[in-house]
Amino acid sequence: MGESAMGALVPSVKSEPAPSDAVGEVSAPAPETQSPLPAPLQEKADAAAVELDKDFLCPICMQIIKDAFLTSCGHSFCYMCIVTHLQNKSDCPCCGRYLTANHLFPNFLLNKLLKKTSARQMAKNGTPFEQLRQTLQQGCEMPVNELDCLLALLMDKKKKMEQEAAETNMQILQDFLHCLRKQKLEELNQIQTDLEYIKEDINSVERRRMELYRAKERYTVKLRMLVDDPSAANAWPSLIDRRSGGMTSSLQNIQAHCRMNTGNSQSWKADAKVLVSSQLVQRKDSHGGSDAQHVTQSGLALARKKRVLALFNDLQECYLQKRRHGARQSYKQEERDTNVKKREGYHAGLEDFQSVLSTFTRYSRLRVIAELRHGDLFHSANIVSSIEFDRDDQLFATAGVSRRIKVFEFASIVNEQADVQCPVVEMSTRSKLSCLSWNKYTKNHIASSDYEGIVTVWDVTTRQSVMEYEEHEKRAWSVDFSRTEPSMLVSGSDDCKVKIWCTKQEASVLNIDMKANICSVKYNPGSSMHVAVGSADHHIHYYDLRNVSQPLHVFSGHRKAVSYVKFLSSNELASASTDSTLRLWDVKENVPLRTFRGHTNEKNFVGLTVNSEYIACGSETNEVFVYHKGISKPAAWHRFASSDLENVEEDAGSYFISAVLIQDPAILCCEVELVPACNKLRAFSDG
């Protein structure tokens, strides 16, 4: 019935009688829609119409025939279809009889039937607009007054639609402006809140500076009193030798001496000044300083201010992030205000940012303090893949494709420069090595993983293997000792398996099957039950070993394989990837914290090392980069210039950093030349 109502729109416009035959022809389909057949007869009629439609299909294009032409063999086709066919073949597509373009004739009867069929379908299924357009195109005649009514109706409909469209546009614009106003109000509220934080912190810092200034003035007054009092001069040398705790009491004693002595002479004053000056010079010299040190300190302060201005936007983002987080934490701990504020008016967020600002501006560059040539006469390929310090940071071990673990004494490398440095311990292995890990409890134990999938625990003292684990089926990329449970270690391999080992038994104690190659594994330094796994599937999987059926967290964000994972603390995890980024994650809250960019790493293992504040990595541009964990841009970097190259710029692509290691404030890194292969191990100091 809905179709009948739609089809009746056009005839209703022509309801008045008209003498024209054309009008009668247009209204002819109306009885079909006004007197519907019973359901069984209607179904038969519909089936017949469908069969009739099939008869009107062109055998070539299988569409309703357009511009029908009849062949000499009695078949009908679309004119363009049959002409195109005859350009390639000279036969009928239906019966195969010989046929040329001269055997084609217009099928006037079929064309007339097609037009009538199309008109009926339009009257039945077409929209009112299509029906009206077809009626006018067929030359329908109507009185002028009916045409005026139709035009007026169409104009009213047009105005109504334009009005509705305008109202819709206004509604969309209004919604946009409301959203924009809401967003800007939120930004304004946030800015006002941030301004309140800044104002509050400025007052806190000014109060703190005033406290420091007053303390400095008190010490200055006491020193002046010492210079003016000759009897107190003899007590000054012993005062200089004392440290922080005894300084205050000594100054109080000096002040008491000053009150007891009332007579002064010019000679005593001069002698006291000379004595005090000499002792101050001695004290400065004992700390490696002099009067020039004040100039140096002033220059350092200026350099630190320049670094702040250079990365002002990043520092601003860091400050606001920490300050807002600190404010949220303070709201949650209102009943424990003393835990939120470390000083009166000094909020935890400001305290955290002050720590970031202090540590970030402390170092500005890297300088080479030592160089160790790590070449091997018997192995031309000598890429160092791992560098690790021992428990006490006195020894460091290197390993790589030379199938040797070499242990060096850090102090002798830095302090005793020599063309050739011999390792204090050297151990040979059967296969190329990929990773090392010192036991943080047993000083002489070190673990290695190799290209054959073997995990070995070595005794550095006896230079013998303590345990060998051969369960991995492919190359093992990473191994790590647990800090809290020194008998436990974890390894990851290209066989897509993570295995947990115990030095007290020969077989693995736990196995984790994954779907992609394992590039790096690391124990959480605060727990022997949590392990981070860097995988070739671009993700970091964080497991609780008490339930390995599924990871505790999966950190996503890298676009390529995750080559390294390292913990800065029990809650902070750093990851490196061949997408040329480092990322910092909060494993407790399961959130990403920061992304670091600046170095280049697209295919090689370039190393990753961390401490509580800094993250360092190598680069395929033969550079080493250092990032502060609170700032996304590099804090410092250094480019190697090899003396073996005449043109460093042209051949720089042949060199890259293969391993790095932090021992505050030094960084060890290994520089690798691809062709010909050689190694240089360099130690850096942050300056």
Side-chain angles (χ1 to χ4, degrees), residues 618-674:
S619 175
E620 291 168 1
T621 57
N622 202 30
E623 296 172 288
V624 59
F625 285 79
V626 181
Y627 300 88
H628 189 279
K629 69 177 183 179
I631 306 297
S632 297
K633 295 181 180 179
W637 63 90
H638 179 83
R639 182 180 181 86
F640 291 105
S642 176
S643 59
D644 299 333
L645 294 176
E646 295 180 358
N647 193 333
V648 176
E649 293 298 330
E650 292 181 1
D651 294 339
S654 299
Y655 287 78
F656 69 95
I657 306 303
S658 64
V660 291
L661 180 65
I662 287 182
Q663 189 224 32
D664 196 15
I667 299 175
L668 293 181
C669 60
C670 183
E671 175 191 10
V672 175
E673 181 185 5
L674 296 181

Side-chain angles (χ1 to χ4, degrees), residues 65-206:
I65 296 177
K66 296 179 181 178
D67 194 10
F69 266 65
L70 183 68
T71 66
S72 59
C73 56
H75 299 101
S76 295
F77 302 93
C78 299
Y79 176 73
M80 291 304 300
C81 293
I82 190 62
V83 168
T84 304
H85 173 78
L86 292 178
Q87 290 176 355
N88 301 317
K89 295 183 179 181
S90 299
D91 59 359
C92 175
C94 292
C95 63
R97 291 185 60 180
Y98 177 74
L99 190 67
T100 64
N102 296 328
H103 301 148
L104 299 179
F105 309 96
N107 194 338
F108 297 109
L109 178 60
L110 181 58
N111 282 330
K112 188 174 181 180
L113 290 174
L114 288 172
K115 288 182 180 180
K116 289 185 176 181
T117 302
S118 176
R120 284 197 299 269
Q121 290 179 347
M122 182 65 67
K124 183 177 181 180
N125 302 323
T127 63
F129 172 74
E130 292 174 343
Q131 295 175 3
L132 176 61
R133 182 175 60 182
Q134 185 178 14
T135 301
L136 296 176
Q137 288 176 349
Q138 290 177 352
C140 175
E141 297 180 2
M142 61 178 64
V144 175
N145 59 344
E146 290 187 3
L147 187 60
D148 290 338
C149 293
L150 180 61
L151 291 176
L153 181 62
L154 293 175
M155 288 299 298
D156 292 341
K157 182 65 175 178
K158 178 182 176 183
K159 290 181 180 179
K160 181 180 179 182
M161 294 178 65
E162 290 176 347
Q163 183 69 23
E164 291 176 352
E167 291 179 0
T168 302
N169 293 335
M170 289 296 105
Q171 183 65 40
I172 294 174
L173 179 60
Q174 185 179 16
D175 292 342
F176 168 77
L177 293 176
H178 279 303
C179 292
L180 181 62
R181 179 175 178 273
K182 180 180 178 181
Q183 178 182 340
K184 293 303 178 181
L185 284 175
E186 291 176 355
E187 293 177 0
L188 179 60
N189 292 334
Q190 187 63 64
I191 291 175
Q192 291 175 342
T193 304
D194 292 341
L195 287 175
E196 290 295 326
Y197 292 155
I198 295 171
K199 180 179 178 181
E200 184 178 350
D201 291 343
I202 288 175
N203 294 333
S204 300
V205 172
E206 287 179 349

Side-chain angles (χ1 to χ4, degrees), residues 550-563:
Q550 60 182 7
L552 189 63
H553 303 306
V554 177
F555 300 103
S556 303
H558 285 297
R559 294 180 289 106
K560 291 186 179 180
V562 179
S563 51

Side-chain angles (χ1 to χ4, degrees), residues 3-75:
E3 292 179 354
S4 302
M6 292 180 62
L9 290 176
V10 174
S12 65
V13 178
K14 313 178 189 60
S15 57
E16 296 183 6
S20 175
D21 295 334
V23 176
E25 291 179 2
V26 173
S27 60
E32 296 180 9
T33 60
Q34 292 176 358
S35 57
L37 298 174
L41 297 178
Q42 184 66 37
E43 292 178 359
K44 291 182 179 180
D46 293 340
V50 171
E51 291 296 330
L52 183 62
D53 290 341
K54 290 182 179 180
D55 294 335
F56 291 154
L57 297 181
C58 172
I60 297 177
C61 66
M62 300 306 295
Q63 301 293 328
I64 298 296
I65 296 177
K66 296 179 181 178
D67 194 10
F69 266 65
L70 183 68
T71 66
S72 59
C73 56
H75 299 101

Side-chain angles (χ1 to χ4, degrees), residues 291-309:
D291 291 339
Q293 186 177 7
H294 293 285
V295 179
T296 304
Q297 292 294 336
S298 177
L300 289 176
L302 181 60
R304 294 177 71 177
K305 291 180 180 179
K306 289 182 178 179
R307 285 175 59 77
V308 170
L309 294 177

Side-chain angles (χ1 to χ4, degrees), residues 280-292:
L280 286 174
V281 170
Q282 293 178 8
R283 187 185 181 205
K284 289 179 181 179
D285 291 340
S286 65
H287 291 279
S290 62
D291 291 339

